[in-house]
């Protein structure tokens, strides 16, 4: 995978990833970054990248494991969970608010908690306090 890079904790692409990309404990970041030399580029500004890592950690505490963050063609981002479900938000969203909205939906008795979320294809949190989701 020539276009696969290792990132540091600030989101800096510092070296071709080599064999570490097969580790299930790593969160993968898929981007549309294009440059002749990707080494030295950032996936996102360091404060945004740190917020993404914090979101992944907070979701894990709720028993939802993020396996990847993926840039979407419309400029938004999706967090891909281990069950294949996706959480969609914008790069400019306050990720604490994204987490709060996610917790509100998944903790609702009518939604069914973690078991209910297993039936979801994606949950779209790009619209403030309005939440949209699509069942599988």
């Amino acid at each position: 995978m020539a276009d696969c890079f290792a990132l540091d904790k600030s989101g800096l692409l510092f070296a071709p990833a080599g064999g570490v990309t097969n580790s299930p404990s790593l969160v993968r970041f898929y981007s549309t970054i294009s440059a002749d030399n990707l080494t030295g580029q950032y996936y996102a500004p360091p404060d945004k990248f740190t917020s993404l890592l914090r979101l992944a950690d907070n979701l894990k505490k709720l028993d939802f494991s993020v396996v990847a963050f993926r840039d979407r063609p419309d400029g938004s981002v999706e967090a891909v969970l281990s069950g294949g479900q996706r959480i969609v938000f914008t790069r400019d969203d306050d990720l604490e608010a994204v987490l709060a909205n996610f917790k509100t939906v998944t903790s609702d008795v009518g939604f069914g908690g973690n078991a209910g979320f297993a039936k979801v294809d994606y949950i779209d949190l790009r619209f403030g306090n309005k939440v949209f989701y699509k069942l599988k």
Side-chain angles (χ1 to χ4, degrees), residues 5-15 29 41-42 46 49 53:
F5 283 79
L7 288 82
D8 70 7
K9 64 183 178 181
S10 70
L12 177 72
L13 287 74
F14 66 87
F29 292 84
Q41 301 290 320
Y42 283 91
F49 187 77
L53 293 176

Side-chain angles (χ1 to χ4, degrees), residues 13-99:
L13 287 74
F14 66 87
V20 296
T21 59
N22 293 328
S23 173
S25 64
L26 296 177
V27 175
R28 290 166 177 78
F29 292 84
Y30 296 91
S31 178
T32 56
I33 298 171
S34 63
D36 290 335
N37 182 6
L38 292 173
T39 302
Q41 301 290 320
Y42 283 91
Y43 172 79
D47 59 326
K48 293 287 185 180
F49 187 77
T50 302
S51 293
L52 289 171
L53 293 176
R54 191 170 32 257
L55 177 64
D57 286 342
N58 287 330
L59 287 167
K60 188 170 192 141
K61 291 174 187 172
L62 300 172
D63 292 326
F64 297 101
S65 294
V66 175
V67 295
F69 287 101
R70 183 170 299 162
D71 289 346
R72 295 168 44 112
D74 64 3
S76 58
V77 178
E78 61 186 24
V80 181
L81 304 182
S82 60
Q85 303 92 340
R86 297 167 291 143
I87 303 169
V88 182
F89 52 91
T90 70
R91 277 194 178 265
D92 296 329
D93 281 341
D94 173 1
L95 296 185
E96 293 297 323
V98 166
L99 180 66

Side-chain angles (χ1 to χ4, degrees), residues 62 97-109 111 123 131:
L62 300 172
V98 166
L99 180 66
N101 287 339
F102 180 80
K103 285 170 41 174
T104 299
V105 171
T106 56
S107 65
D108 185 271
V109 175
F111 189 79
I123 186 167
V131 175

